[in-house]
Amino acid sequence: MKSKAPLALIEQIVMVLVFALAAALCIQAFVKADHISLRSEEMSRAALVAQDAAELIKYSGGDMGHALSQAGELLGGTYAQGMLCIDYDEDWNLTEQDGVYRLTAQGVPVEEPGLQKALVQVVTGAPEDCELLFALEAAWLEVSPDE
């Protein structure tokens, strides 16, 4: 009579291979979930800083140049050539320049007199290959002193 040991060994090897395949799929799912979670956190933080900037731009009011320069002073950014720029490091702390994230705000042309509109964007990556994380428009009425 033949021994059944080789059959039991093959069965054990097949079970180990199935378990290894299932473990690999689970690890891949966990890595993907972690990536999605980090991306979602990044986009949420971008939305928060963009909304803060838009509210400060609207609060500053006046013409576009005044609103962007005033918001730049309050937020710690730079205003030059009609554009407000604020750089952030990987932990969303203000940095001088060439940060991981960049908030920009600039005027959008409108046809209505007295209406001002600014486009606020948050991007990540190198300037030539940046990725948009969040964008919004802020609008306000420019009120003249005699009104």
Side-chain angles (χ1 to χ4, degrees):
M1 186 182 239
K2 289 187 170 182
S3 172
K4 294 187 181 181
L7 187 59
L9 182 62
I10 291 173
E11 182 181 349
Q12 292 293 323
I13 290 173
V14 169
M15 286 191 319
V16 168
L17 289 176
V18 168
F19 177 75
L21 179 63
L25 291 174
C26 288
I27 290 172
Q28 189 177 28
F30 284 128
V31 169
K32 182 70 173 176
D34 185 52
H35 176 72
I36 290 171
S37 174
L38 291 174
R39 181 75 175 154
S40 176
E41 181 182 346
E42 185 179 54
M43 292 176 78
S44 294
R45 188 62 188 235
L48 183 64
V49 297
Q51 288 171 347
D52 286 346
E55 290 299 323
L56 274 172
I57 291 168
K58 290 189 322 185
Y59 170 76
S60 299
D63 67 349
M64 186 61 63
H66 174 265
L68 292 177
S69 64
Q70 184 72 24
E73 288 177 22
L74 294 171
L75 291 169
T78 58
Y79 173 71
Q81 300 175 349
M83 181 179 286
L84 169 65
C85 293
I86 305 170
D87 289 311
Y88 298 95
D89 64 10
E90 62 275 353
D91 295 324
W92 291 93
N93 298 315
L94 288 174
T95 185
E96 291 297 321
Q97 57 181 319
D98 298 332
V100 175
Y101 306 103
R102 173 171 271 196
L103 180 140
T104 60
Q106 61 187 1
V108 175
V110 291
E111 296 181 16
E112 297 293 322
L115 180 65
Q116 299 291 322
K117 193 182 280 190
L119 175 63
V120 180
Q121 296 179 323
V122 180
V123 297
T124 185
E128 61 276 350
D129 186 34
C130 63
E131 179 182 359
L132 180 66
L133 293 176
F134 191 79
L136 61 85
E137 285 187 349
W140 67 95
L141 287 174
E142 180 182 356
V143 181
S144 61
D146 58 330
E147 292 181 5

